Amino acid sequence: MKILLVEDDVALARNLKQSLESAGVLVTLADDGKTADYLVTTEQFDAVVLDLGLPDGSGVQWLSSWRQQGIELPVLILTARERWSDKAAGFSAGADDYVTKPFETAEVMFRLRALVRRAHGHAHPVISVGDIALDTHAGQITCSGMPVSLTAQEFRLLSYLIHASPRVVSRSELSEHVYDGDQEPDSNVIDVQVSRLRRKLGSETIETVRGQGYRMNHSGETGEC
Ligand code: CA
């Protein structure tokens, strides 16, 4: 999962970024609305965490402009106060969920995972494809019921394919969602990572669709795990 965190409180932003990153999330930071606006229109994210009190306008105004431009990605707003009017304004501008400061980082993580899952059309926290299952709440992948040990990058890649399943995902889309903007890999890196995943989960788990990209194999028992 790759998210955009829009927050001008430096200490809060740094702490939240660190905690989310230790849970395997890629976090791009923007400390004002203008930077965030540039990033959401030029890069791909799975979700935005948006502070409402920004130095260059209210988060609500930025959000509402994104929605008008047809940017549909899930947005979780951070509100400083327990004021229902802030939340109401956030929701009418197109927010999907909110967290009130001060918050537990784990709560932000749970809400983000649920938002991203729902954005992909999955209502249940566990998404199963064949004998591979992703528990989006726990952030864990199992193969035939056994936990699989994956690196953070392998987890992001597999998790993205599972969320998108049964859609075919191109290498460039995978690369946008799995790697940091400043470490954009060539497509070969993705191929290498897919081979590693196949070794861990079974050679048939991930299908190569020639000229298009990758997708999860749906045809039931594929694992050698
Ligand atoms: Ca603020």
Side-chain angles (χ1 to χ4, degrees):
M1 189 194 307
K2 181 171 160 185
I3 69 140
L4 174 63
L5 171 58
V6 192
E7 172 61 77
D8 61 319
D9 179 330
V10 178
L12 191 152
R14 200 176 40 219
N15 285 343
L16 185 54
K17 183 175 194 278
Q18 227 163 43
S19 313
L20 292 175
E21 281 176 345
S22 68
V25 178
L26 288 179
V27 181
T28 302
L29 209 53
D31 58 6
D32 60 26
K34 198 164 171 251
T35 311
D37 188 56
Y38 173 75
L39 288 166
V40 291
T41 48
T42 54
E43 282 189 36
Q44 288 187 35
F45 297 96
D46 294 297
V48 177
V49 176
L50 177 66
D51 177 37
L52 290 189
L54 295 170
D56 53 351
S58 155
V60 167
Q61 287 162 351
W62 290 106
L63 172 56
S64 139
S65 124
W66 299 337
R67 292 305 191 220
Q68 275 160 24
Q69 295 170 60
I71 296 169
E72 290 180 344
L73 78 175
V75 173
L76 173 72
I77 53 176
L78 301 177
T79 71
R81 298 138 289 191
E82 252 303 353
R83 274 173 46 188
W84 75 269
S85 57
D86 283 351
K87 292 168 202 160
F91 279 115
S92 53
D96 299 278
D97 201 356
Y98 71 88
V99 171
T100 306
K101 296 179 189 173
F103 50 77
E104 295 290 330
T105 314
E107 186 185 353
V108 175
M109 192 65 224
F110 290 146
R111 289 182 184 276
L112 278 175
R113 283 175 174 154
L115 285 180
V116 170
R117 185 185 84 222
R118 284 183 183 278
H120 285 275
H122 302 286
H124 197 276
V126 178
I127 309 171
S128 299
V129 185
D131 47 14
I132 309 289
L134 165 66
D135 182 333
T136 57
H137 187 68
Q140 193 174 53
I141 289 174
T142 55
C143 183
S144 309
M146 298 296 289
V148 186
S149 166
L150 301 171
T151 66
Q153 277 183 354
E154 287 167 353
F155 180 84
R156 279 198 293 271
L157 197 155
L158 186 59
S159 164
Y160 194 79
L161 285 175
I162 293 173
H163 274 95
S165 179
R167 190 165 60 83
V168 178
V169 182
S170 70
R171 284 178 178 79
S172 66
E173 182 181 344
L174 267 179
S175 141
E176 283 263 13
H177 289 269
V178 173
Y179 299 95
D180 251 331
D182 44 352
Q183 49 159 118
E184 203 113 327
D186 53 38
S187 63
N188 187 41
V189 174
I190 293 197
D191 296 346
V192 168
Q193 210 123 45
V194 167
S195 312
R196 279 205 204 110
L197 282 167
R198 283 177 176 146
R199 272 202 297 279
K200 288 187 178 179
L201 304 164
S203 52
E204 309 283 297
T205 315
I206 300 170
E207 282 179 68
T208 303
V209 181
R210 193 168 288 208
Q212 293 180 55
Y214 293 110
R215 79 166 154 223
M216 295 302 292
N217 184 344
H218 270 255
S219 60
E221 294 277 310
T222 53
E224 290 148 26
C225 46

